[in-house]
Amino acid sequence: MSQKIAGVKGMNDLLPGELGGEMAPVETWQHVERTARELFARFGYGEIRTPMVEDTALFVRSVGEETDIVGKEMYTFEDKAGRSLSLRPEGTAPAVRAYIEHSVANQEPLTRWYYIGPMFRYERMKTGRYRQFFQIGAEAIGSREAAQDVELMDMVVQLLEALGLKEVSLNLNSLGDDACRPVFQQKLVEHLTAHRAELCEDCQRRLESNPMRVLDCKNAKCQAVVQAAPDILQFLCEPCKAHFGDVRRKLDVLGVRYVINPRIVRGLDYYTRTTFEFIAAHPALGTASTVGGGGRYDKLLKSLGGPDLPAVGFGLGLDRLTLLLKEGGQKYAPPPDVFIAVADEGSADEAFKLASRLRREGLRVEFDTRGGSLKSQMKRADKTRARFALVLGQTERESGKGQLKPMAGGEPIPVALNEVAQTVRAAH
Ligand code: ATP
Ligand code: MG
């Protein structure tokens, strides 16, 4: 007997209908993707599709060596020529790499892109935390103004609204810049050093290499130390304070609600000034309650060898968004409009042709290609939750007329076989 081969741990199959187990049905994913594409286009964002694999150095230099992502979670391997490659753990660095590579700055002063696709991180799995997961993200390159930060946050807010997700709150912070962050960092190091023994091993190391990262540690003991740490917002220099004030004012102008949360640092090294997270109140996600986040990264382009241009972006977790929708009981798989059943062998071709024609005319049509008795076909019609069944036999063929039988009960609707699509559309 041949042995079964299982899928890779932490990487999910997404299946249609009710087949998928813990994961939301693929139709829910499609709904989110469709809604996002349609909405982002209204904001003037174009889609980019970059490879799943990049030079490892791209992530080491952008996301940062001391982050969990690069330090522990990356899928890194050598190709046959000995190059070190990594499956992308996030979408911003690849987008910026592509922006620089195609000299986009020379072609347009302000660039707005979005992406949808799989990301890979070798993480401990649980609900909402997988090794292949999907992000919808957007980047705006070329504007340093608060309006750009707020446009992006507004886009996420409108997406969540369009999806009917109400229990998600926007948490806002500023990380300052090169002028003011060092002052804060020094105070932070003083505080952390005083509590050094309480920190996890990683954070004791980070204390030397990258103390800001300690703020982002998930370890409960580190979190406790962090709670009493100095507040970064008290240390912002005048320009950063002004930018933060502008962001808040413009959020108010749009009527976007938010809470200030000075602990939001994000899991990547490249952020400056504005950072934000969208956090769901829903218990379904457990510890994976952050559906997305983002911020400004004004120094990243230059540090990757590109032009010195400011940028801001966000990334949302599609797995978590779809889990929230699934939890809310929403279903997005539309049932068939009509099930075409064959009454006798002599009508099989005519029925097959009718099904094909109705599909061409835009109806969702089910037809049992296995054939079988009328009874078994009607059972199947029931299962598919089709709105109507239409039985085609000799009588119907000869008269050119049939009946649309509502599967949920009720009077059959007489119909000419050449007007089925119109009649189905008109019947509400
Ligand atoms: P977390 O704090 O939950 O680990 P993160 O800060 O590592 O998240 P980001 O790198 O900011 O996450 O990614 C943005 C979004 O992508 C997250 O808010 C989340 O919705 C999603 N995401 C990140 N990692 C995973 C994962 N392993 N599985 C599923 N979704 C994920
Ligand atoms: Mg993480």
Side-chain angles (χ1 to χ4, degrees), residues 73 121 123 129 218:
E73 298 171 356
R121 295 183 196 175
E123 294 208 66
R129 194 174 291 287
K218 302 267 179 342

Side-chain angles (χ1 to χ4, degrees), residues 69 121 123 128-130 133 135 218 266-268 277 290-293 315-317 319-320:
I69 294 177
R121 295 183 196 175
E123 294 208 66
R129 194 174 291 287
Y130 311 107
F133 62 98
Q135 280 189 350
K218 302 267 179 342
R266 318 281 310 118
L268 314 136
E277 281 189 357
T290 304
V291 295
L316 297 172
D319 306 69
R320 295 181 191 178

Side-chain angles (χ1 to χ4, degrees), residues 20-142:
E22 177 188 302
M23 302 307 286
V26 81
E27 290 83 2
T28 307
W29 289 72
Q30 292 170 335
H31 174 70
V32 177
E33 290 165 12
R34 241 190 333 260
T35 308
R37 285 180 197 288
E38 209 263 314
L39 180 73
F40 293 1
R42 281 190 242 158
F43 277 77
Y45 285 66
E47 184 184 358
I48 54 158
R49 301 187 185 189
T50 62
M52 235 76 84
V53 180
E54 297 273 356
D55 188 329
T56 301
L58 175 67
F59 301 111
V60 174
R61 275 174 51 195
S62 58
V63 176
E65 216 152 9
E66 276 302 324
T67 58
D68 280 352
I69 294 177
V70 169
K72 303 180 189 168
E73 298 171 356
M74 219 148 58
Y75 281 89
T76 298
F77 59 96
E78 271 190 10
D79 73 1
K80 292 192 195 301
R83 300 179 190 92
S84 179
L85 303 179
S86 293
L87 297 184
R88 65 179 182 197
E90 59 103 47
T92 299
V96 168
R97 197 253 324 127
Y99 178 90
I100 296 169
E101 198 160 326
H102 298 279
S103 306
V104 178
N106 300 335
Q107 303 169 65
E108 58 184 30
L110 178 60
T111 294
R112 294 174 170 106
W113 284 346
Y114 78 89
Y115 57 84
I116 300 181
M119 307 293 160
F120 303 85
R121 295 183 196 175
Y122 197 81
E123 294 208 66
R124 296 251 319 251
M125 295 146 33
K126 43 191 150 199
T127 302
R129 194 174 291 287
Y130 311 107
R131 291 182 176 170
Q132 176 181 262
F133 62 98
F134 290 75
Q135 280 189 350
I136 297 187
E139 319 290 345
I141 302 174

Side-chain angles (χ1 to χ4, degrees), residues 3 11 24 71 129 132 162 191 195 237 261 347-348 359 368 413:
Q3 237 187 329
M11 308 207 179
R129 194 174 291 287
Q132 176 181 262
H191 172 80
H195 295 87
C237 59
N261 181 347
S347 304
R359 287 162 175 159
D368 196 335
I413 304 169

